[in-house]
Amino acid sequence: QVDPAGKRIGVLTGSSGEAFVRRTWPDATVVGYADTDLVNSDLEAGRIDYGFNTQLPIEMFMKSDAGKGYNFV
């Protein structure tokens, strides 16, 4: 079980995912991004703790060299 309280979660600004994260984990810090590539870049750089997106973009990222070592939660 993941406890994102106090963690930074990257989301696409204005998306249903953003609304879900805000509603489900009110103690997390939501960081909005204009596109998935920016979420992935900040996740890789350690500027956010989690990235929240639909499954397909996340699968594509995890199959890339930059995504090695990350897992679904």
Side-chain angles (χ1 to χ4, degrees):
Q1 184 80 3
V2 174
D3 180 11
K7 302 292 186 179
R8 295 172 56 82
I9 303 176
V11 299
L12 295 179
T13 300
S15 67
S16 58
E18 179 181 9
F20 176 83
V21 168
R22 288 185 186 282
R23 183 177 61 250
T24 306
W25 298 299
D27 294 329
T29 299
V30 176
V31 182
Y33 294 89
D35 64 55
T36 302
D37 289 338
L38 295 173
V39 174
N40 294 343
S41 293
D42 273 8
L43 182 61
E44 183 180 0
R47 289 185 285 269
I48 57 175
D49 302 294
Y50 300 104
F52 190 90
N53 205 331
T54 60
Q55 187 172 347
L56 182 59
I58 291 172
E59 282 182 3
M60 292 171 57
F61 171 70
M62 290 174 59
K63 289 179 181 178
S64 73
D65 287 339
K68 288 188 181 357
Y70 292 95
N71 294 305
F72 282 107
V73 293

